[in-house]
Amino acid sequence: MLVGLLLIITFLCLVDYWAKKSRNEMMKNIPTVRNLPIIGAVSELASFNAENLAWKFKSFREKYGKAYKSWVAHVLVLNTSDPKHVEAILNSSKHISKNSLYLMLREWLGQGLLLSDGSKWQHRRKIITPTFHFKILEEFVDVFDQQSSVLVEKLKPKSDGSTVIDIYPLVCLMALDIIAETAMGTQIQAQKDENSRYVKAVNDVTDILALRFMKPHLALKKIFKLFKPKLFNKQLEGVLYMHLFTNRIIEDRRKALNISKSQQNTINVDNQGIKKRMALLDVLLQSTTSNGEPLSDDDIREEVDTFMFEGHDTTTSAISFTLRAIACHPEVQEKLFKEIRELFGDDLDEPIRYRNIHELKYMSCVIKESLRLFPPIPAIGRFIREDFELYNCTIPAGTNVILILWEILRDPDIYEDPMAFRPERHLEVNPKSNSFSYIPFSAGPRNCIGQKFALLEMKCVLTKILRHFELLPLGEDVHPSIKIVLRSKTGVNLGLRSRVY
Ligand code: HEM
Ligand SMILES: *[C@@H]1O[C@H](CO)[C@@H](O)[C@H](O)[C@H]1NC(C)=O
Ligand SMILES: *[C@@H]1O[C@H](CO)[C@@H](O)[C@H](O)[C@H]1NC(C)=O
Ligand SMILES: *[C@@H]1O[C@H](CO)[C@@H](O)[C@H](O)[C@H]1NC(C)=O
Ligand SMILES: *[C@@H]1O[C@H](CO)[C@@H](O)[C@H](O)[C@H]1NC(C)=O
């Protein structure tokens, strides 16, 4: 009996060894994370969670170097922050498929731009790119200005110089209002109506996906349903409601476009004769698939949902962590405030304008530095479909690759004194850095399509807040928690004191 069992185990280990042999051979130059036969590194990886991932990244780099491979059962995973690997992978126009970590996002986002690949992705990317033209972004500044004013009003009662404010949830509601109005042309009043069902659904689903992200077994829909039936149902309800909501908006907009077409006037002018923003939704409604048919409602919905998700969670993280960083560096804040005051003057009722925003040079550096130390998306993944030769290894087909942006952006070989928050470093050209090493927005053909949108939004919102308040380093410091998007276990805290001019 025992002998039989031993024989079976020995046999399985041999099969396992042979199945992995050629892939191990191709990657022999890359160190392997502590590995057991058959299960691979699963026992080691079980100790990873959202709150310790940032430290694990660091300790693994110290232990194994910038790249290491691990076996998760029979799947090979390469985690790398080697700039040469990252550049080769991100610059490739062939290896653009997302890996299995993204799978569960499909339950909400379908096959939208973030998750699709092949010709579908190419076609969609071409349709959507013009929506981020600077002429269109320019028109969004109004929305950024108005929505950040709402936030300022909400913050005023707390600006006594001693109240600790977790800014993250407040920024999140503002970011939702902004993306709904700019992408869908719809006001959802997230900041004014905190009980909005749509907003609750977005937050619930984002939180549940964030939890599943760190528990690979929960990423599988069937297992998730089995182990966490309550959460499963909550996600299902949330997604259903969001899909209904988006569908209704699409239908309304389709009707409006149809009416204005039949009346021979143009949709770009609203009833006061003001030029209407060409929202993402309008572009999609007027586009066709590669064989000339209009996009279906489902096609449009997955894109709108993708932008609702990608366009609010990331900027929330970016704005919150930047505010905290500014609060903790008074000398940076002083310089920044001076730059803003010189450009915008002392009249707080004066709205923010596009042309002024462009002259905020030091602000750009502060944002760059904050995105370097606190990248809203700390890691991205690719699935390699065909053997891919890098400078010192060949990635076998079927490998999951994780590019650890968090580590590249803190790499001491690229950044001098990498842990220091020093915006001035971005004033000079860094000879050790290139467009594939400073990559909070990724790089190459599959980079962030919303980069310019995000930077403009950040500049407007930060300007607005800094004109009204002095930020104070109150409350507990941030404790990075990587839940798809970078968050903080302790909240993103600060205090506010009203500015007196
Ligand atoms: C500071 C804010 C932001 C950061 C740091 C950021 C970062 C990123 C990164 C790293 C990727 C690559 C993901 C991957 O390869 O898996 C990405 C893709 C993407 N981002 Fe952003 N993003 C931000 C804001 C936005 C905004 C505001 C929008 C929309 C308005 C947006 C829309 C997208 C979309 C649609 C993709 C997928 C593009 C494609 O695959 O073709 N992002 N973003
Ligand atoms: C290949 O690159 C990885 C990651 O930088 C490094 O750890 C490894 O030592 C390199 N191997 C050789 C043989 O250069
Ligand atoms: C590789 O990165 C992924 C994604 O961040 C993480 O979940 C995984 O635990 C990492 N693997 C190793 C061996 O560090
Ligand atoms: C990226 O790829 C293109 C061709 O696809 C090539 O011309 C270019 O030199 C590459 N850039 C880098 C930095 O490797
Ligand atoms: C568009 O308008 C025409 C008549 O003006 C109508 O027959 C048609 O059903 C409308 N289509 C949609 C999708 O509403």
Side-chain angles (χ1 to χ4, degrees):
M1 179 64 194
L2 196 63
V3 175
L5 199 63
L6 275 176
L7 272 176
I8 292 173
I9 290 176
T10 315
F11 176 72
L12 287 178
C13 287
L14 274 174
V15 171
D16 180 66
Y17 170 80
W18 283 106
K20 292 173 178 171
K21 184 167 185 282
S22 77
R23 286 182 280 171
N24 272 325
E25 197 59 34
M26 289 159 90
M27 298 274 275
K28 65 176 189 303
N29 287 339
I30 305 293
T32 310
V33 171
R34 206 166 61 100
N35 189 46
L36 293 170
I38 305 172
I39 60 166
V42 169
S43 56
E44 178 98 3
L45 297 183
S47 66
F48 283 59
N49 61 46
E51 268 99 49
N52 69 18
L53 194 55
W55 283 271
K56 291 277 183 187
F57 284 158
K58 181 163 179 270
S59 74
F60 272 48
R61 194 202 56 209
E62 282 161 2
K63 193 161 160 194
Y64 299 108
K66 289 183 192 177
Y68 39 89
K69 63 176 182 292
S70 52
W71 287 98
V72 179
H74 62 287
V75 179
L76 182 58
V77 184
L78 170 67
N79 284 28
T80 178
S81 60
D82 177 336
K84 285 195 202 143
H85 292 171
V86 173
E87 178 169 331
I89 292 165
L90 288 182
N91 195 33
S92 153
S93 49
K94 197 151 132 210
H95 300 281
I96 56 163
S97 300
K98 299 299 173 76
N99 71 19
S100 47
L101 273 180
Y102 295 71
L103 265 182
M104 60 186 181
L105 288 173
R106 287 214 179 141
E107 294 161 34
W108 175 17
L109 309 180
Q111 292 260 36
L113 196 60
L114 179 70
L115 305 176
S116 57
D117 60 18
S119 60
K120 175 166 180 175
W121 170 78
Q122 241 159 15
H123 182 67
R124 291 284 171 85
R125 180 96 186 187
K126 218 160 94 193
I127 295 177
I128 294 173
T129 296
T131 21
F132 290 96
H133 191 274
F134 74 92
K135 272 288 169 207
I136 294 176
L137 294 184
E138 212 176 312
E139 306 217 12
F140 291 162
V141 171
D142 278 352
V143 180
F144 301 155
D145 182 70
Q146 285 155 19
Q147 294 299 346
S148 53
S149 290
V150 176
L151 176 61
V152 162
E153 289 309 313
K154 286 174 77 174
L155 291 173
K156 272 182 184 165
K158 300 175 184 170
S159 60
D160 53 12
S162 60
T163 304
V164 177
I165 307 163
D166 177 6
I167 201 78
Y168 200 98
L170 296 166
V171 172
C172 184
L173 295 173
M174 178 194 64
L176 271 171
D177 273 335
I178 286 177
I179 195 66
E181 196 169 343
T182 51
M184 307 193 285
T186 305
Q187 298 195 351
I188 56 170
Q189 310 287 6
Q191 295 197 88
K192 291 189 175 141
D193 173 15
E194 286 182 26
N195 299 318
S196 148
R197 192 155 162 218
Y198 180 72
V199 173
K200 190 169 173 322
V202 174
N203 285 332
D204 283 352
V205 172
T206 312
D207 284 347
I208 293 171
L209 290 174
L211 173 94
R212 291 172 64 192
F213 181 71
M214 272 322 295
K215 306 250 185 272
H217 65 287
L218 294 184
L220 296 169
K221 198 171 167 184
K222 288 207 174 101
I223 296 184
F224 175 50
K225 184 177 178 180
L226 192 69
F227 282 94
K228 305 263 175 194
K230 268 211 190 109
L231 278 185
F232 178 85
N233 284 329
K234 197 169 173 186
Q235 181 186 318
L236 208 62
E237 269 168 38
V239 168
L240 198 68
Y241 185 77
M242 287 189 290
H243 285 175
L244 279 176
F245 186 91
T246 323
N247 279 339
R248 206 168 56 226
I249 288 169
I250 294 170
E251 197 186 320
D252 290 350
R253 198 70 187 157
R254 228 188 242 293
K255 281 203 194 115
L257 280 169
N258 194 20
I259 289 168
S260 73
K261 218 199 266 153
S262 63
Q263 293 173 345
Q264 298 289 308
N265 62 9
T266 139
I267 187 71
N268 285 336
V269 176
D270 71 10
N271 42 19
Q272 282 114 38
I274 299 166
K275 194 159 163 290
K276 254 273 168 74
R277 291 176 272 273
M278 185 77 166
L280 169 81
L281 181 55
D282 286 356
V283 172
L284 293 170
L285 282 166
Q286 289 164 349
S287 302
T288 51
T289 62
S290 39
N291 40 25
E293 313 240 328
L295 298 185
S296 72
D297 283 2
D298 283 346
D299 289 336
I300 295 177
R301 200 197 62 215
E302 62 192 16
E303 296 305 348
V304 171
D305 287 341
T306 296
F307 279 80
M308 284 303 299
F309 169 68
E310 266 289 319
H312 94 277
D313 222 12
T314 48
T315 47
T316 299
S317 175
I319 292 170
S320 306
F321 277 86
T322 308
L323 286 169
R324 172 76 197 179
I326 296 170
C328 293
H329 296 85
E331 67 300 341
V332 170
Q333 181 165 198
E334 201 178 319
K335 224 166 140 176
L336 201 50
F337 181 66
K338 203 163 151 257
E339 180 179 77
I340 293 170
R341 197 169 180 184
E342 271 166 19
L343 271 170
F344 292 86
D346 290 353
D347 180 5
L348 287 177
D349 294 328
E350 187 67 20
I352 291 170
R353 291 186 209 290
Y354 187 67
R355 64 185 143 76
N356 293 343
I357 285 293
H358 269 291
E359 290 167 39
L360 290 165
K361 295 275 177 309
Y362 189 63
M363 169 82 83
S364 289
C365 296
V366 172
I367 290 175
K368 272 192 175 161
E369 186 66 343
S370 174
L371 294 176
R372 184 181 70 80
L373 281 172
F374 304 104
I377 302 190
I380 60 181
R382 290 286 184 275
F383 181 74
I384 301 297
R385 293 187 192 282
E386 284 171 42
D387 292 359
F388 184 24
E389 204 176 312
L390 301 182
Y391 81 101
N392 73 353
C393 64
T394 301
I395 308 178
T399 303
N400 279 303
V401 177
I402 312 279
L403 307 175
I404 311 174
L405 309 188
W406 179 273
E407 281 302 322
I408 307 166
L409 293 166
R410 293 171 174 225
D411 186 339
D413 297 335
I414 303 174
Y415 301 100
E416 203 183 312
D417 195 5
M419 297 311 293
F421 184 82
R422 212 157 51 75
E424 286 76 9
R425 71 169 86 235
H426 300 283
L427 286 171
E428 308 131 34
V429 179
N430 178 353
K432 291 178 192 153
S433 165
N434 66 26
S435 55
F436 288 91
S437 48
Y438 179 76
I439 48 170
F441 293 100
S442 182
R446 218 136 188 199
N447 67 350
C448 175
I449 199 172
Q451 174 170 352
K452 290 210 177 91
F453 179 108
L455 291 173
L456 192 60
E457 175 179 343
M458 288 185 75
K459 284 179 196 168
C460 290
V461 173
L462 293 171
T463 298
K464 177 73 84 178
I465 294 175
L466 289 164
R467 290 186 81 195
H468 281 87
F469 307 110
E470 181 187 348
L471 312 181
L472 308 170
L474 303 185
E476 229 181 307
D477 201 359
V478 289
H479 181 117
S481 168
I482 298 177
K483 298 182 155 182
I484 313 181
V485 167
L486 179 69
R487 301 181 181 200
S488 167
K489 182 180 144 193
T490 44
V492 183
N493 304 308
L494 42 85
L496 297 172
R497 189 182 293 131
S498 287
R499 288 270 184 196
V500 208
Y501 286 81

